[in-house]
């Protein structure tokens, strides 16, 4: 049986990354997976070669308008649409279709949090696409609707999860994450012009304003009875791709470096896409570009009584498109690592 896949919002960064990965997927190369409709409302009628020159296998394909009619009839539909647009389309597709949403429409369990940070009607919650969170692989495997996480919450959750679940910290957490400009999407914006970003760093949506803040707290709260408090500061850097996340929280009495390291090693020992670095090595964005990996480091700061967690991932791969393909693999019972590179591009 051939699985037919559509990508809505194919010309955006998330859609383009999904296509890049699918074109190297073993099931595509064997003919068992077919790339069907590619849609993009503002680019309908244009060829892929005009918009995404890095995908020569699809160069002659035409971009179609994003409608339910065009997307219907596919076995898998990836939604790489702006927030607020996925819900209407996703809810109209057949219940038998595997729909994987890369926007925020179905990430939050709390309708009040949705209204505060996004506004508009609350669409509900779909199974959440971080397989490394305990219990989530099982939910994803049986799902026909999946919400891909935000890129910031992915890096933060993978950095902090063993510490929270293992009771290493008091979950009063300060997170700073430095991101490349592709995280803002492929829309025109003066603030994202090269002349505005090159040679400069800028914090934005500070003091609890960033939309990913409640998603981080939601993820971590599942694994502790303590109240989780998250203070999140995102920083824009002149990089195309990559997120470097640092998180700091008070240590629980008696936690040593040896305990912290053993906790993280045990938590991630069977996770193919999380690499716990040896002592003395720090995650670097240059080591994860183009890969579906998250590199993690855990350090005890004895002087301050804090635990420092650091992670690095590619916001377009493990942070979005790679996560979407990883979830597809699980839901379709393919090998989870199919089509997903572990090695980064260097230099």
């Amino acid at each position: 049986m051939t699985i037919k896949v559509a990508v809505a919002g194919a010309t955006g960064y998330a859609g383009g990354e999904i296509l890049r990965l699918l074109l190297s997927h073993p099931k595509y190369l064997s003919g068992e997976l077919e790339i069907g409709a590619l849609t993009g409302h503002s680019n309908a009628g244009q060829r892929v070669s005009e918009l995404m020159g890095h995908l020569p296998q699809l160069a002659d394909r035409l971009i179609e308008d994003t409608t339910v009619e065009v997307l219907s009839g596919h076995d898998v539909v990836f939604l790489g649409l702006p927030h607020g647009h996925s819900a209407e389309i996703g809810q109209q597709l057949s219940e038998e279709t595997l729909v994987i949403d890369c926007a925020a429409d179905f990430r939050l369990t709390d309708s009040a949090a949705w209204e505060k940070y996004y506004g508009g009607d609350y669409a509900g919650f779909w199974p959440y696409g971080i397989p490394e969170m305990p219990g989530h692989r099982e939910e994803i495997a049986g799902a026909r609707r999946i919400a891909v996480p935000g890129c910031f919450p992915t890096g933060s959750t993978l950095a902090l999860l063993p510490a929270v679940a293992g009771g290493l910290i008091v979950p009063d957490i300060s997170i700073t994450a430095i991101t490349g400009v592709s995280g803002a999407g492929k829309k025109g914006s003066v603030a994202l012009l090269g002349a505005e970003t090159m040679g400069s760093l800028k914090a934005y949506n500070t003091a609890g304003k960033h939309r990913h803040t409640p998603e981080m707290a939601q993820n971590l709260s599942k694994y502790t009875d303590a109240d989780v408090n998250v203070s999140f500061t995102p920083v824009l850097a002149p990089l195309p791709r990559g997120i470097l996340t640092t998180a700091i929280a008070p240590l629980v009495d008696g936690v040593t470096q040896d305990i912290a390291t053993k906790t993280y090693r045990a938590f991630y020992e069977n996770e193919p896409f999380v690499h716990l670095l040896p002592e003395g090595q720090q995650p670097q964005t240059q080591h994860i570009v183009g890969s579906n990996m998250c590199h993690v480091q855990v350090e005890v700061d004895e002087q301050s009584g804090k635990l420092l967690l650091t992670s690095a991932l590619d916001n377009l791969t493990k942070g979005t498109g790679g996560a979407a393909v990883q979830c597809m693999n699980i839901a379709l019972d393919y090998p989870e690592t199919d089509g997903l590179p572990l090695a980064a591009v260097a230099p």
Side-chain angles (χ1 to χ4, degrees), residues 35 50 53 57 67 87 95 97 101 109 113 120 150 205 224 234 305 326 328:
I35 296 176
E50 300 175 64
Q57 303 98 310
T67 67
E95 293 182 0
T97 304
D101 182 25
T109 58
N205 288 343
T224 178
Q326 186 179 349
M328 180 197 75

Side-chain angles (χ1 to χ4, degrees), residues 290-323:
S291 81
N292 201 54
M293 295 296 296
C294 181
H295 291 188
V296 175
Q297 182 58 276
V298 53
E299 295 178 275
V300 168
D301 183 344
E302 294 180 356
Q303 181 172 330
S304 68
K306 302 288 179 65
L307 191 66
L308 170 64
L309 299 318
T310 315
S311 71
L313 55 73
D314 187 325
N315 56 291
L316 294 181
T317 315
K318 183 57 175 165
T320 310

Side-chain angles (χ1 to χ4, degrees), residues 321-345:
V325 173
Q326 186 179 349
C327 289
M328 180 197 75
N329 286 341
I330 295 170
L332 296 180
D333 199 27
Y334 294 163
E336 188 171 335
T337 56
D338 273 9
L340 297 170
L342 304 181
V345 176

Side-chain angles (χ1 to χ4, degrees), residues 190-260:
V190 172
L192 300 177
L193 291 173
E196 301 292 331
T197 57
M198 288 189 295
S200 180
L201 297 172
K202 180 181 72 172
Y204 65 100
N205 288 343
T206 54
K209 300 182 188 70
H210 197 281
R211 289 172 165 180
H212 287 172
T213 304
E215 194 178 335
M216 296 173 183
Q218 172 181 290
N219 292 354
L220 299 172
S221 294
K222 291 184 64 173
Y223 303 98
T224 178
D225 293 328
D227 291 335
V228 174
N229 182 42
V230 171
S231 174
F232 174 48
T233 304
V235 177
L236 184 67
L239 308 167
R241 292 172 176 249
I243 294 177
L244 180 71
T245 300
T246 62
I248 299 172
L251 281 165
V252 169
D253 289 344
V255 174
T256 64
Q257 181 65 57
D258 185 57
I259 290 172

Side-chain angles (χ1 to χ4, degrees), residues 18-284:
I18 290 168
L19 289 170
R20 179 181 76 89
L21 297 169
L22 290 178
L23 289 168
S24 297
H25 197 288
K27 299 296 184 182
Y28 173 78
L29 297 175
S30 69
E32 297 169 79
L33 185 151
E34 175 187 343
I35 296 176
L38 308 179
T39 79
H41 181 69
S42 61
N43 299 118
Q46 293 182 267
R47 295 193 182 278
V48 168
S49 59
E50 300 175 64
L51 303 163
M52 297 180 287
H54 65 297
L55 303 176
Q57 303 98 310
L58 303 172
D60 293 331
R61 295 284 298 275
L62 281 175
I63 302 299
E64 301 180 68
D65 198 7
T66 302
T67 67
V68 173
E69 290 71 27
V70 169
L71 297 173
S72 294
H74 292 81
D75 301 292
V76 181
V77 175
F78 291 100
L79 299 177
L81 303 173
H83 303 318
H85 293 266
S86 298
E88 182 179 356
I89 288 179
Q91 291 169 336
Q92 293 184 65
L93 292 170
S94 166
E95 293 182 0
E96 298 178 358
T97 304
L98 174 58
V99 182
I100 302 175
D101 182 25
C102 294
D105 293 36
F106 299 99
R107 292 175 188 163
L108 297 180
T109 58
D110 183 358
S111 61
W114 171 265
E115 291 167 9
K116 177 180 178 180
Y117 284 90
Y118 293 93
D121 295 333
Y122 175 64
F125 179 75
W126 287 356
Y128 187 76
I130 296 184
E132 293 82 5
M133 293 173 65
H136 280 227
R137 268 193 186 87
E138 293 77 12
E139 294 178 6
I140 293 166
R144 279 298 172 265
R145 297 290 189 271
I146 300 168
V148 175
C151 50
F152 283 129
T154 300
S156 300
T157 299
L158 294 177
L160 283 154
L161 191 54
V164 172
L168 304 183
I169 59 173
V170 177
D172 185 12
I173 302 163
S174 296
I175 299 170
T176 300
I178 303 170
T179 182
V181 295
S182 62
K186 206 174 183 179
K187 60 182 179 293
S189 170
V190 172
L192 300 177
L193 291 173
E196 301 292 331
T197 57
M198 288 189 295
S200 180
L201 297 172
K202 180 181 72 172
Y204 65 100
N205 288 343
T206 54
K209 300 182 188 70
H210 197 281
R211 289 172 165 180
H212 287 172
T213 304
E215 194 178 335
M216 296 173 183
Q218 172 181 290
N219 292 354
L220 299 172
S221 294
K222 291 184 64 173
Y223 303 98
T224 178
D225 293 328
D227 291 335
V228 174
N229 182 42
V230 171
S231 174
F232 174 48
T233 304
V235 177
L236 184 67
L239 308 167
R241 292 172 176 249
I243 294 177
L244 180 71
T245 300
T246 62
I248 299 172
L251 281 165
V252 169
D253 289 344
V255 174
T256 64
Q257 181 65 57
D258 185 57
I259 290 172
T261 300
K262 287 181 178 178
T263 299
Y264 270 70
R265 188 177 294 132
F267 198 95
Y268 285 133
E269 63 180 347
N270 295 317
E271 293 295 345
F273 297 118
V274 181
H275 176 46
L276 182 63
L277 294 176
E279 183 177 351
Q281 291 186 20
Q282 280 294 325
Q284 299 183 49

